[in-house]
């Protein structure tokens, strides 16, 4: 039995996640903006005991001329994946375009969503990087 869940939302992001959040809002929203809590998820994606980061531009709301992040197309937005290093830094690991992000617990956990045109995708850590399967 497999149970798909919405990604768990943390109360307060780590300092590294907050810094990346602010950086991505500045890049995605020229006039400023915000990201909903469900768009900034710290969770252990590679099963090393350290929380990694999923940053979903779908959850971003911009002010001014842009209502959505500039990293969104007509149907899908960038979903950025970061892996936390041993010294606590969040390092860019991958990017996927999608909507309707879902987390399925496992070893390793699975991220899934829909791509342009509604095609489903699933992504997980392979031991050396993320792989679509």
């Amino acid at each position: 039995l497999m149970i798909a869940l919405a990604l768990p939302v943390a109360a307060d992001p780590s300092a590294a996640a907050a810094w990346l959040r602010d950086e991505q809002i500045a890049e995605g929203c020229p006039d400023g903006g915000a990201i909903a809590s469900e768009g900034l998820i710290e969770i252990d994606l590679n099963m090393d005991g350290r929380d990694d980061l999923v940053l979903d531009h779908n959850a971003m709301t911009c002010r001014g001329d842009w209502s959505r992040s500039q990293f969104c197309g007509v149907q899908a937005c960038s979903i950025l994946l970061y892996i936390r290093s041993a010294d606590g830094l969040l390092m860019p690991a991958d990017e996927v375009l999608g909507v309707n992000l879902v987390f399925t617990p496992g070893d390793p956990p699975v991220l899934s969503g829909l791509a342009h045109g509604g095609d489903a995708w699933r992504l997980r850590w392979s031991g050396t990087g993320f792989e679509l399967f």
Side-chain angles (χ1 to χ4, degrees):
L1 174 68
M2 182 185 301
I3 300 173
L5 304 170
L7 285 166
V9 177
D12 292 314
S14 67
W19 188 88
L20 285 167
R21 173 200 62 206
D22 295 345
E23 177 188 63
Q24 288 299 306
I25 290 171
E27 289 184 24
C29 300
D31 296 323
I35 189 167
S37 58
E38 63 269 11
L40 191 72
I41 308 302
E42 291 185 274
I43 191 163
D44 188 3
L45 295 171
N46 62 351
M47 307 305 293
D48 68 354
R50 294 184 292 268
D51 280 345
D52 306 305
L53 178 67
V54 178
L55 194 148
D56 186 355
H57 276 263
N58 287 288
M60 211 173 277
T61 304
C62 300
R63 293 189 294 271
D65 293 335
W66 294 87
S67 61
R68 296 178 71 198
S69 169
Q70 291 186 75
F71 294 98
C72 293
V74 174
Q75 295 179 340
C77 296
S78 290
I79 300 170
L80 306 175
L81 306 172
Y82 298 87
I83 296 297
R84 193 174 302 271
S85 66
D87 59 1
L89 298 175
L90 285 167
M91 309 301 293
D94 211 337
E95 177 178 3
V96 63
L97 294 176
V99 295
N100 300 337
L101 186 61
V102 174
F103 168 77
T104 305
D107 186 13
V110 173
L111 297 173
S112 59
L114 300 175
H116 284 286
D119 292 334
W121 54 263
R122 295 185 319 159
L123 184 74
R124 69 177 169 212
W125 184 255
S126 70
T128 57
F130 287 98
E131 66 179 5
L132 291 168
F133 68 103

